[in-house]
Amino acid sequence: MNWLTDNFRVAVLPLATQLADKEANLEAVAAAFGHMPEECDMVVLPELFSTGFSDDPDLMREMAERNTGPTIDFVKRLAHEHGVAVAGTFLASTPPHLYNRAFVIEPSGEETFYDKRHLFSPGSEAAIMRAGTAPLPVVRFRGWNIAVAVCYDLRFPVWCRNRGMRYDMLVVPANWPSSRGYAWRQLLIARAIENQCCVVGADRGGKDFYGEYNGLSEIYDYRGMPVGEVAGQFIVATLSREKQDTCRSSFPVSADADDFCIAGVE
């Protein structure tokens, strides 16, 4: 395996999202990208990075966009200009419904979308948005297979199950408050260990009506070991496919996994 497909450098930007201030959020992301660590392959932004979340359905509808709106246009420019893939989620409108829509935008402009399956019913997300029905997407980028889940999805191991080792990395944009930080870290570690994959937890920063969020962005390797390091505004890690593949072949626990189907997954 050569360096280009073995080593993958991923960065998380724990943006302190400003509620309903799209212009300020996009400006903050653009400024941070101006100081992005060198040789990054992918940058992961938090959940609903351009708008934040409100329990006001009228405000949410006012802020929502199509896939061809200014938020995704902005992300496409960033990906192209900096030569990185960019992942995150935004508030999407596919009338008559709103969705918490994840994206992976590649430097070429190739785009992949996924609507969050598990909406946070203890809050008001499930009352405002529509749940997605498609399985986790897997994007092939620079020799890595990368899956995307969103925040509350992380609590559901069957949904995230890496059946057939179809992905090498799981990225999880989130708005996960510090009050539940212990659970967040344990779930990230569990998903890494049980799926023998790297897991990137991209939580937001700052605070809002629902709590504080600082310090929860984490990157774990296939053993569930923390490998992220602070680099300016980012958390970064260089991940090795060769080491991960060696672990999978020498300790093939997936071969003993229960064989069952998830709705919508063949």
Side-chain angles (χ1 to χ4, degrees):
M1 182 175 292
N2 64 43
W3 191 92
L4 291 176
T5 56
D6 178 21
N7 292 291
F8 192 97
R9 190 159 171 82
V10 63
V12 172
L13 178 62
L15 178 73
T17 307
Q18 303 301 309
L19 177 62
D21 196 340
K22 197 174 297 183
E23 182 178 356
N25 292 324
L26 299 186
E27 287 180 355
V29 171
F33 266 64
H35 302 281
M36 185 175 63
E38 295 182 355
E39 299 181 344
C40 282
D41 295 291
M42 171 177 274
V43 176
V44 187
L45 303 174
E47 181 182 22
L48 298 178
F49 83 98
S50 61
T51 58
F53 177 79
S54 170
D55 60 4
D56 181 343
D58 292 332
L59 176 60
M60 293 292 279
R61 193 165 298 280
E62 179 183 334
M63 295 189 295
E65 301 176 18
R66 300 293 189 104
N67 291 359
T68 53
T71 293
I72 295 300
D73 285 349
F74 167 80
V75 173
K76 285 185 173 181
R77 288 194 299 272
L78 282 182
H80 176 73
E81 291 171 3
H82 294 274
V84 297
V86 182
T89 92
F90 76 109
L91 180 56
S93 173
T94 302
H97 303 298
L98 301 182
Y99 294 89
N100 189 337
R101 183 162 293 163
F103 58 82
V104 178
I105 306 297
E106 302 174 39
S108 64
E110 185 75 18
E111 56 187 26
T112 301
F113 296 103
Y114 159 74
D115 293 332
K116 184 178 181 181
R117 175 66 178 87
H118 298 91
L119 300 178
F120 191 61
S121 57
S124 53
E125 184 182 34
I128 294 173
M129 298 189 197
R130 188 69 168 258
T133 57
L136 302 184
V138 177
V139 177
R140 180 76 172 177
F141 183 66
R142 294 182 181 170
W144 286 65
N145 295 316
I146 303 167
V148 185
V150 182
C151 201
Y152 195 44
D153 284 336
L154 185 66
R155 285 186 178 268
F156 302 93
V158 174
W159 187 252
C160 298
R161 183 66 51 80
N162 193 7
R163 298 177 70 244
M165 295 287 100
R166 69 191 190 103
Y167 61 81
D168 308 306
M169 182 191 310
L170 177 66
V171 300
V172 189
N175 284 340
W176 198 293
S178 300
S179 60
R180 294 190 289 275
Y182 179 83
W184 163 255
R185 291 191 174 95
Q186 309 318 305
L187 291 166
L188 289 171
I189 292 168
R191 299 297 86 84
I193 293 171
E194 70 195 14
N195 294 307
Q196 292 186 305
C197 72
C198 303
V199 175
V200 180
D203 199 31
R204 62 163 289 176
K207 62 181 179 180
D208 65 8
F209 175 80
Y210 304 97
E212 296 186 357
Y213 301 88
N214 294 313
L216 293 186
S217 289
E218 302 275 0
I219 304 173
Y220 295 93
D221 71 7
Y222 55 92
R223 303 165 299 170
M225 299 297 292
V227 292
E229 298 180 348
V230 176
Q233 293 178 255
F234 295 83
I235 309 297
V236 300
T238 300
L239 308 171
S240 171
R241 261 284 305 282
E242 183 174 19
K243 291 179 180 178
Q244 180 168 291
D245 288 350
T246 298
C247 176
R248 286 176 169 182
S249 61
S250 64
F251 192 59
V253 294
S254 64
D256 299 320
D258 298 306
D259 186 16
F260 53 83
C261 292
I262 302 171
V265 180
E266 295 296 331

